[in-house]
């Protein structure tokens, strides 16, 4: 079957390490849409962190889709219609935030235009030997204002799609099993970067989102191609007919991929699309 849907993780996949969309990849994706392909951005990011990129790719003119929060919500970026949404309960969210008080892992979650945190000045970790302001990175990447709540567990009275924690990678690696222990059987708990560990509703992942939305729309798995680089991309890479790992992807993801393309710094998505969809070559 011809490929009709192009599904892409963002960080480490569609964007290069400078967080840029290159002109070559952009041109190939724009041409793919002009020829009828549907673009899907599938990310751990919230909706607000995807809109600028979608506009640059003209997805708002072609009913492109956002898969947000690693699959917890799917939105039509042209109409803003919510096509799928599965959040954690208030009770589970409170329990997670109470439990996390025992650890040096800082939680954050969003509602509306705000990212809620305990302390806006407790924002640095040591990453690759250098100080890294994670809170600034997260809030600016996703266009959030910051709001402090000294007791996040007491504050929450609404459902949350994702609770994100961050910390020094060595600390999270040493303590993530304790962090997830009370919830491992009823929630999804996973690394999305070596300094990010997150909680979402049980059964939520990118493949579940694809299956819940694209199949009812009339698409088939063999008509889908997906690109990723990390653990949270594994289910969608296995789900689609053409699962492609970036050259910079984890060994775990490469092991389950159908193919490996160039890195995110060398237009890996464009290279693979021209291989599997030569009809979209902009130079023809």
């Amino acid at each position: 079957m011809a490929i009709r849907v192009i599904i892409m993780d963002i960080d480490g996949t569609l964007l290069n390490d400078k967080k840029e969309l290159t002109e070559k990849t952009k041109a190939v994706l724009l041409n793919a849409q002009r020829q009828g392909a549907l673009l899907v951005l599938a990310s751990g990011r919230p909706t607000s962190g995807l809109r600028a990129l979608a506009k640059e790719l003209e997805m708002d003119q072609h009913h492109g889709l956002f898969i947000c929060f690693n699959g917890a919500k799917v939105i039509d970026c042209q109409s803003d219609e919510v096509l799928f949404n599965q959040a954690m309960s208030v009770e589970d969210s409170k329990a997670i935030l109470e439990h996390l008080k025992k650890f040096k892992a800082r939680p954050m979650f969003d509602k509306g235009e705000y990212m809620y945190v305990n302390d806006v000045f407790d924002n640095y970790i040591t990453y690759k030997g250098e100080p890294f302001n994670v809170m600034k990175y997260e809030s600016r990447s996703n266009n959030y204002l910051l709001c402090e709540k000294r007791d996040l567990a007491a504050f929450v009275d609404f459902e949350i799609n994702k609770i994100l924690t961050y910390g020094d990678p060595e600390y999270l690696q040493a303590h993530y099993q304790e962090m997830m222990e009370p919830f491992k059987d009823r929630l999804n708990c996973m690394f999305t970067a070596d300094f990010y560990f997150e909680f979402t509703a049980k059964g939520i992942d990118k493949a579940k989102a694809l299956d819940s939305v694209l199949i009812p729309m009339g698409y088939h798995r063999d008509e889908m191609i997906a690109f990723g680089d990390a653990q949270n991309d594994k289910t969608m890479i296995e789900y689609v007919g053409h699962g492609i790992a970036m050259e910079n992807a984890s060994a775990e993801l490469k092991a389950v991929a159908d193919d490996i393309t160039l890195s995110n710094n060398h237009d890996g998505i464009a290279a693979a699309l021209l291989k599997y969809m030569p009809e979209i070559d902009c130079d023809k």
Side-chain angles (χ1 to χ4, degrees), residues 48-275:
S48 59
L50 301 177
R51 290 200 183 279
L53 184 56
K55 190 169 184 62
E56 188 175 0
L57 287 170
E58 299 179 6
M59 291 172 59
D60 57 338
Q61 301 174 34
H62 298 278
H63 286 284
L65 302 181
F66 296 147
I67 293 179
C68 316
F69 305 112
N70 283 318
K73 182 179 284 189
V74 182
I75 294 176
D76 181 317
C77 70
Q78 182 169 341
S79 67
D80 261 350
E81 181 184 0
V82 176
L83 305 176
F84 174 81
N85 186 45
Q86 188 171 333
M88 293 182 290
S89 69
V90 174
E91 292 74 20
D92 279 338
S93 298
K94 283 181 173 292
I96 293 165
L97 294 165
E98 193 64 41
H99 180 63
L100 289 174
K101 292 176 182 179
K102 304 173 185 177
F103 302 95
K104 296 178 182 176
R106 288 83 112 189
M108 57 173 67
F109 55 86
D110 72 286
K111 185 182 182 185
E113 63 181 332
Y114 289 100
M115 179 73 75
Y116 290 94
V117 299
N118 285 123
D119 183 352
V120 296
F121 296 107
D122 183 18
N123 47 28
Y124 278 92
I125 64 169
T126 299
Y127 187 61
K128 296 182 178 180
E130 300 289 336
F132 176 37
N133 188 332
V134 183
M135 200 176 293
K136 179 180 179 181
Y137 168 75
E138 186 69 18
S139 61
R140 292 296 179 261
S141 296
N142 295 308
N143 300 306
Y144 281 124
L145 299 173
L146 291 170
C147 183
E148 286 187 340
K149 295 292 179 181
R150 294 303 184 194
D151 190 336
L152 292 171
F155 166 69
V156 169
D157 61 359
F158 49 88
E159 293 184 339
I160 298 175
N161 283 105
K162 181 177 80 170
I163 293 176
L164 181 65
T165 72
Y166 67 93
D168 292 337
E170 297 80 7
Y171 180 85
L172 290 182
Q173 192 60 46
H175 294 280
Y176 80 92
Q177 291 182 326
E178 301 166 68
M179 291 166 57
M180 68 183 283
E181 180 61 31
F183 313 104
K184 64 183 182 181
D185 295 327
R186 69 178 195 264
L187 297 172
N188 278 1
C189 317
M190 70 170 66
F191 280 98
T192 49
D194 52 2
F195 56 88
Y196 278 152
F197 191 78
E198 68 179 46
F199 301 83
T200 55
K202 186 69 175 176
I204 285 300
D205 56 39
K206 294 180 181 182
K208 170 71 178 294
L210 294 173
D211 194 65
S212 298
V213 173
L214 290 178
I215 299 303
M217 290 173 68
Y219 294 103
H220 300 280
R221 290 165 65 172
D222 287 346
E223 297 175 311
M224 305 176 196
I225 187 169
F227 298 89
D229 73 306
Q231 178 190 9
N232 61 324
D233 300 315
K234 183 174 182 287
T235 60
M236 78 171 181
I237 293 298
E238 294 176 314
Y239 177 83
V240 299
H242 309 275
I244 314 298
M246 310 303 288
E247 192 277 330
N248 52 289
S250 67
E252 177 187 13
L253 196 70
K254 289 178 179 178
V256 302
D258 299 307
D259 200 355
I260 299 171
T261 189
L262 301 176
S263 77
N264 64 315
N265 290 322
H266 294 92
D267 291 300
I269 287 180
L273 290 177
L274 293 176
K275 174 182 176 180

